[in-house]
Amino acid sequence: MEKRFVPVMITPFNLKAKIDFDMVERLIDFYLAAGVSGFFANCLSSEMYSISEDERLELTAHIVRYVNNRVPVVATGSFGLTIEDKAEFSKKIYDTGIDAVVLITGHFANVDDSDDILLKRFDKMFSLTPNIPMGTYECPAPYKRILSAGVFETLLSSGRLKYHKDTSIDLDKVKEKLQIANVPGFDFFDAHTPNAMYSLQMGARGMSSISGNFYPEVLVWMCNNANDPSKQEDVKWLQSELTRVDPLIHQAYPMSAKYFLQLRGLPVRTISRAYVQELTPAQKEVLKGIYDSFTQWCSRLNITPVDTRGIMEPQILPDPAI
């Protein structure tokens, strides 16, 4: 089965901290040129907790229109105080044209609630949203609710799930879920880049990690080659490199990703509603070092980095005589 890389999209903002929709389009062009096979819009990387309900819908609808069926798009829908509220918003965001509505596991039970409560609320959600394809995501916020293998199997048996984004990190737990997830039409994605090689070799459909907002071409290469017997030396080497830098790119995220994209030639402003501080000079130096590593990875693996100049509209520069 073809493996897929699906980025968790960042949201670019203009100088007034409003969504920069022109830059959203350039980012989509960048991701697609890198070879991604789908998009996760309105996610934690999109700063979904820092934008309004109307902005979540407007942003998702814009992404769907611009992608224009070239690859699937999923987006988070489980917003609201009650299950009824979550169902209503899920219907609204599904009407934007996405392929599946993603439900945050931590939205359906408090941290000390039992799995029985979690399952009852999911069951109610399913009953209120008939015929809408659903996915689950163990999002770190409001807190990370990891699904046990038993809960995962129960939810999967409902027939409503088409997608799961896993943040277990623990490879034994990932393996246990993957053994359950071997269901036609169901896609299992690992969010943890240090798991990439291992999850892909154990049967994951693909990866969906924040590293795709730095070097998506490299993650696409990993998805394409993790199971190629002739590429195992390079696969293991790349995995060690990705694991080495992964804790570093998480610092000050998503600002770190926006700055890294600047290094790559995309004029994404380092403006974030979720991370209000500026990057320090030391953080910028670390990211520059990772950029140097990225160019070395591409050289060794014969990866052609996306030419960002080719996806930017020509800029009209002022006459130097004026």
Side-chain angles (χ1 to χ4, degrees):
M1 181 182 292
E2 179 188 2
K3 305 295 184 178
R4 298 168 51 205
F5 183 75
V6 175
V8 283
M9 300 182 69
I10 61 169
T11 300
F13 295 105
N14 62 23
L15 292 174
K16 295 182 178 180
K18 299 291 185 181
I19 298 173
D20 185 342
F21 288 100
D22 288 339
M23 197 65 232
V24 170
E25 294 179 5
R26 301 291 76 76
L27 280 174
I28 292 171
D29 292 339
F30 168 72
Y31 290 125
L32 290 173
V36 307
S37 303
F39 291 104
F40 189 167
N42 190 43
C43 57
L44 191 59
S45 290
S46 309
E47 307 184 44
M48 65 181 180
Y49 291 116
S50 302
I51 61 178
S52 69
E53 177 174 317
D54 287 343
E55 286 175 316
R56 293 168 188 152
L57 293 170
E58 185 180 12
L59 175 61
T60 303
H62 191 93
I63 290 167
V64 169
R65 284 195 300 271
Y66 193 77
V67 171
N68 193 27
N69 295 312
R70 285 176 284 181
V71 295
V73 179
V74 301
T76 306
S78 54
F79 286 97
L81 294 176
T82 67
I83 300 299
E84 289 81 4
D85 293 337
K86 298 180 199 303
E88 186 61 29
F89 185 77
S90 291
K91 292 174 184 176
K92 290 179 181 178
I93 204 161
Y94 185 62
D95 286 343
T96 64
I98 59 176
D99 294 270
V101 173
V102 177
L103 308 179
I104 304 300
T105 55
H107 286 177
F108 289 86
N110 295 323
V111 65
D112 54 352
D113 283 339
S114 68
D115 284 342
D116 286 341
I117 291 175
L118 179 78
L119 288 170
K120 286 177 182 177
R121 290 175 180 166
F122 265 109
D123 187 59
K124 184 175 182 180
M125 182 71 175
F126 293 155
S127 70
L128 293 172
T129 54
N131 304 316
I132 295 180
M134 296 288 190
T136 48
Y137 170 29
E138 298 163 338
C139 184
Y143 76 99
K144 186 187 286 193
R145 182 85 181 206
I146 299 295
L147 301 178
S148 68
V151 170
F152 181 63
E153 187 170 23
T154 300
L155 291 173
L156 197 54
S157 69
S158 70
R160 293 297 305 279
L161 297 184
K162 305 295 182 185
Y163 171 100
H164 174 69
K165 182 178 175 184
D166 197 88
T167 64
S168 298
I169 296 178
D170 186 323
L171 281 169
D172 288 335
K173 293 179 180 178
V174 173
K175 183 177 181 180
E176 194 174 11
K177 288 182 190 174
L178 281 170
Q179 291 172 340
I180 299 166
N182 189 22
V183 176
F186 180 77
D187 290 339
F188 184 105
F189 292 87
D190 200 325
H192 189 50
T193 301
N195 283 357
M197 174 185 76
Y198 309 99
S199 292
L200 292 166
Q201 291 176 351
M202 290 190 296
R205 184 70 165 94
M207 293 296 299
S208 185
S209 52
I210 74 163
S211 48
N213 291 317
F214 296 78
Y215 26 78
E217 306 97 322
V218 174
L219 277 299
V220 169
W221 187 95
M222 177 63 82
C223 286
N224 290 341
N225 293 282
N227 290 289
D228 185 339
S230 69
K231 299 286 182 66
Q232 289 309 294
E233 182 179 348
D234 282 338
V235 166
K236 292 174 182 177
W237 171 80
L238 178 60
Q239 183 61 68
S240 68
E241 286 292 291
L242 292 173
T243 300
R244 175 179 64 83
V245 304
D246 196 63
L248 302 174
I249 65 173
H250 277 76
Q251 295 178 20
Y253 183 79
M255 286 279 277
S256 56
K258 294 179 179 184
Y259 180 74
F260 197 90
L261 291 173
Q262 286 185 4
L263 296 177
R264 298 204 55 184
L266 285 170
V268 181
R269 292 183 176 88
T270 50
I271 296 174
S272 168
R273 296 188 192 174
Y275 188 88
V276 296
Q277 297 178 333
E278 291 287 334
L279 293 175
T280 67
Q283 288 171 328
K284 291 180 178 180
E285 287 304 311
V286 168
L287 291 168
K288 289 176 183 176
I290 297 173
Y291 178 79
D292 290 340
S293 294
F294 161 67
T295 60
Q296 293 167 19
W297 303 340
C298 291
S299 177
R300 168 165 171 165
L301 302 173
N302 294 317
I303 297 171
T304 302
V306 174
D307 182 358
T308 54
R309 295 170 301 178
I311 61 176
M312 294 303 301
E313 295 180 349
Q315 298 182 18
I316 300 177
L317 300 177
D319 189 325
I322 295 177

